[in-house]
Amino acid sequence: MQHDGQELLGRPYAERRALLENLFTEHALTAPWTLVPQTTDLATAREWLESWTDVGAEGIVVKPLNGRLPAYQGVARQLHFPRFP
């Protein structure tokens, strides 16, 4: 991920997310581009997980706000969680 030629992967997630939100706002991006929702509220995340599985969402992604991405290693890492009724 880069912005104006500057690598952003070493920056905290909160900073990268803010830049991405700004990009969507400044350029009025619409479909096929989609900015996925984000929350820091646990109750909201639980509600999303419960209601969105009805329409095919398989889970949620949890990232620390101060988290940084590791250097690209050539393979995407995936986490799979069991689906509860």
Side-chain angles (χ1 to χ4, degrees):
M1 179 177 189
Q2 294 185 354
H3 182 263
D4 290 334
Q6 185 176 17
E7 183 64 51
L8 301 177
L9 295 179
R11 294 191 184 179
Y13 172 73
E15 185 179 338
R16 295 190 319 269
R17 174 69 188 208
L19 288 167
L20 190 58
E21 289 173 352
N22 195 31
L23 178 71
F24 269 76
T25 300
E26 285 181 2
H27 297 280
L29 295 177
T30 59
W33 303 101
T34 303
L35 184 62
V36 297
Q38 173 196 354
T39 186
T40 57
D41 180 68
L42 182 58
T44 300
R46 282 187 176 142
E47 190 276 323
W48 288 349
L49 185 57
E50 291 172 4
S51 63
W52 290 355
T53 53
D54 294 341
V55 294
E58 296 178 351
I60 58 174
V61 175
V62 178
K63 296 181 180 184
L65 291 175
N66 63 348
R68 291 166 168 77
L69 293 174
Y72 177 71
Q73 298 172 357
V75 178
R77 290 183 279 176
Q78 284 186 299
L79 300 175
H80 296 279
F81 298 97
R83 191 167 179 183
F84 298 101

